[in-house]
Amino acid sequence: MLVDADLHIHSRYSKAVSKTMTIPNLAENARFKGLSAVGSGDILNPKWEEELLRYARKVDGGTYERNGIRFLLTTEVEDERRVHHVLIFPDIGIVHEMRERLKEYSRDIETEGRPRVNLSAAEIADLANDLDVLIGPAHAFTPWTSLYKEYDSLKEAYGDAKIDFLELGLSADSEMADMIRAHHRLTYLSNSDAHSPMPHRLGREFNRFEVEEATFEEIRKAILRRGGRRIVLNAGLDPRLGKYHLTACSRCYTRYSLEEAKTYHWKCPKCGGRIKKGVRDRILELADTEERPKDRPPYLRLAPLAEIIAMVIDKGVGTKSVRLIWERFLREFRSEIRVLVDVPVRELAAVHGEVAKAVWAYRNGKLIVIPGGGGKYGEIKLPEEIRKAEVDELESVEIELPEEEKPGQRSITEFLGVAH
């Protein structure tokens, strides 16, 4: 069976996370999104563990269920150098043991959702290996709390400890990560790191697993590529939409080339703000190969449905107008993933013609993308030629995007080999 799963989220016990991040809300919105499984997030926090056990029933040691949505036991921890790591636990007993072992190294492990641990990356990985916990770097390329913010290689960070996967983060995709040869042996995870249960956050990146059931053991086999289980698709934001894709000022968001940023000593000449190195430039600094692993699953670039609707009607993503149109699509087609990828455009047009045209443009790589950087998400725009066209005329619309706007991958229609 195919299971769409988002394995990195947070609870309401983490800083800067919505108070609506609860197990019932997560289960409801995961269903709307089209996900079958979600990481619990923050499971080392005792209060969040209590809520999971209260609202979800146990399937097996590492899997819980609410309203048909499976929850796997996951967390994110911050090491002594402020690098973040994702952990996936085989059962609740191992969660308890990990919590006890980390207590002497952490002041906030029982109060914060994402605890700070006074251990190195290698020491945390060694502990995870001892307890048979899956571990990998979180959002490996982002410029604030990631592996490649602090280190130049996996070896430098983890030493001889084993890691099981690498999380891409919102500003990178598989093709970018594969420019570093040491990654070729690793499975990539594409997760949302959601701080809100809303479907334009939850599941904005997900993994499609080919497994027998949505359980920890089956997901573990897929991540480790054992027993015929595997990841068949990584899906996520177009990296250009990520907050840190390009090098830019973190205050006024002015973009700079890497050479310009170095010349200005990483201080914005326009406003005095700090210039943050973009993921694209960081990967190009470290790139050492043009080859790609033959068994690497494809990466499908997505944009959340609410953001497409907001673009069309020129309203904020969180407004009532966007929500009402989004709900109409979900009532008709059951999940956001189906609307974005599977449902024929003519059927979408029966709900909202302008949104249907935008989905067609997104599927066919015809959206204009303004890249993000410096902490500001990128933006999408619909070409005027498509706005003016009728739905039945879309295939004949001619539009040539500027070179920098081209998505760098096949369209979804080509990707899936089906006609929409």
Side-chain angles (χ1 to χ4, degrees), residues 68-344:
I69 303 301
R70 297 288 176 89
F71 287 87
L72 275 64
L73 306 176
T74 65
T75 197
E76 181 183 41
V77 298
E78 181 176 291
D79 71 22
E80 63 185 7
R81 295 176 68 168
R82 299 202 65 196
V83 173
H84 290 185
H85 312 270
V86 174
L87 289 81
I88 309 175
F89 296 87
D91 62 64
I92 203 71
I94 299 299
V95 171
H96 297 163
E97 186 168 354
M98 176 72 82
R99 187 186 297 144
E100 287 301 314
R101 292 206 197 181
L102 292 180
K103 271 185 181 179
E104 63 178 296
Y105 305 104
S106 177
R107 296 180 179 180
D108 61 2
I109 194 166
E110 295 194 328
T111 56
E112 169 62 27
R114 183 201 302 109
R116 178 84 180 271
V117 179
N118 190 29
L119 291 172
S120 68
E123 289 170 326
I124 293 172
D126 279 332
L127 179 55
N129 294 169
D130 288 345
L131 296 176
D132 204 23
V133 174
L134 299 175
I135 184 171
H139 39 74
F141 306 101
T142 52
W144 291 107
T145 54
S146 74
L147 171 75
Y148 287 111
K149 177 272 298 186
E150 197 68 24
Y151 301 98
D152 288 334
S153 70
L154 296 169
K155 179 72 173 178
E156 185 184 352
Y158 293 104
D160 295 327
K162 176 177 67 72
I163 60 170
D164 304 294
F165 56 84
L166 180 142
E167 185 181 73
L168 295 168
L170 304 184
S171 295
D173 60 14
S174 300
E175 185 174 346
M176 295 169 68
D178 275 335
M179 295 171 71
I180 300 172
R181 189 181 298 277
H183 297 162
H184 289 191
R185 61 182 175 83
L186 292 173
T187 292
Y188 293 155
L189 294 184
S190 42
N191 301 316
S192 71
D193 194 5
H195 288 207
S196 162
M198 299 306 293
H200 67 284
R201 294 289 184 247
L202 181 66
R204 60 186 164 178
E205 302 219 344
F206 66 89
N207 314 274
R208 180 163 289 175
F209 292 93
E210 188 175 282
V211 292
E212 291 188 357
E213 190 180 2
T215 62
F216 166 81
E217 183 57 29
E218 286 290 302
I219 296 296
R220 182 187 72 86
K221 288 179 180 178
I223 291 173
L224 300 179
R225 302 181 230 183
R226 296 176 181 172
R229 282 66 160 183
R230 60 194 180 116
I231 292 179
V232 297
L233 179 71
N234 292 107
L237 286 183
D238 183 319
R240 296 171 298 172
L241 294 176
K243 291 195 292 184
Y244 300 105
H245 182 65
L246 296 182
T247 296
C249 175
S250 57
R251 183 185 297 173
C252 71
Y253 308 119
T254 299
R255 302 180 202 168
Y256 296 97
S257 70
L258 190 56
E259 292 71 23
E260 289 172 332
K262 290 177 179 177
T263 298
Y264 297 135
H265 302 287
W266 303 95
K267 184 176 182 179
C268 178
K270 292 188 176 182
C271 73
R274 185 180 179 185
I275 299 173
K276 293 303 294 180
K277 185 184 296 183
V279 169
R280 186 189 66 173
D281 285 331
R282 180 57 172 149
I283 290 176
L284 288 175
E285 281 185 325
L286 300 171
D288 60 3
T289 182
E290 295 182 359
E291 298 177 3
R292 294 202 69 197
K294 293 181 180 178
D295 61 349
R296 179 71 68 209
Y299 185 99
L300 180 61
R301 293 176 171 182
L302 297 175
L305 178 59
E307 292 185 9
I308 292 176
I309 296 170
M311 172 192 67
V312 168
I313 68 173
D314 197 22
K315 299 286 186 180
V317 171
T319 60
K320 183 177 180 180
S321 301
V322 171
R323 179 78 185 187
L324 289 174
I325 296 172
W326 181 86
E327 288 176 347
R328 285 165 58 192
F329 277 106
L330 269 290
R331 282 197 300 270
E332 188 68 27
F333 303 115
R334 301 196 307 279
S335 84
E336 181 169 318
I337 291 172
R338 290 196 71 240
V339 172
L340 290 172
V341 178
D342 300 312
V343 178

